[in-house]
Amino acid sequence: MSTHDDLPLADYDHLPLSALQHRIRALTEEQLRQLLEYERSHANRLPVIEVLTARLHQLESGATPSPGEPDAEPLPERPSPPQGGSPVTPQTAAEPSPPPRHGHPDHPGQSK
């Protein structure tokens, strides 16, 4: 059984799924099997197992590990919020409109 220190990806337990998907592309079948064994005996997270298994099947079907950076910084799970204010300017804003006539005393059919 693999231990955390033997894993082919540094900081494996703290990688977000999006980073894991990218970083496993550089791994061999043997390394993926090692991660699967570790994952199943520790956290046993279904989405992680599915990603690892899918990549393992790709390799078994003839795919080859692609060059990558297994020690690259993980990507954030969510993009950062946009910086600055609204992109709306007076030139791009909608034209002001009158309030709806519903319930207005000058509306036909309304009593005065």
Side-chain angles (χ1 to χ4, degrees):
M1 179 182 301
S2 298
T3 65
H4 184 270
D5 294 335
D6 297 333
L7 296 177
L9 293 177
D11 213 18
Y12 169 79
D13 290 324
H14 302 288
L15 289 174
L17 189 58
S18 61
L20 181 65
Q21 289 173 317
H22 172 72
R23 293 170 73 179
I24 63 171
R25 298 194 59 76
L27 301 180
T28 65
E29 286 183 47
E30 181 180 330
Q31 290 170 319
L32 280 169
R33 289 182 205 286
Q34 184 181 5
L35 284 179
L36 266 169
E37 175 188 331
Y38 178 83
E39 182 63 35
R40 286 181 174 138
S41 64
H42 289 83
N44 202 27
R45 299 167 289 178
L46 182 59
V48 172
I49 290 173
E50 288 175 343
V51 165
L52 294 173
T53 303
R55 180 60 182 157
L56 184 59
H57 289 310
Q58 290 173 350
L59 292 174
E60 291 170 341
S61 298
T64 56
S66 59
E69 298 180 39
D71 295 323
E73 290 294 316
L75 300 172
E77 281 291 304
R78 297 182 194 152
S80 300
Q83 299 296 320
S86 171
V88 177
T89 65
Q91 293 78 18
T92 61
E95 292 290 322
S97 60
R101 294 170 42 150
H102 174 52
H104 193 276
D106 295 331
H107 187 298
Q110 296 287 330
S111 59
K112 293 187 182 183

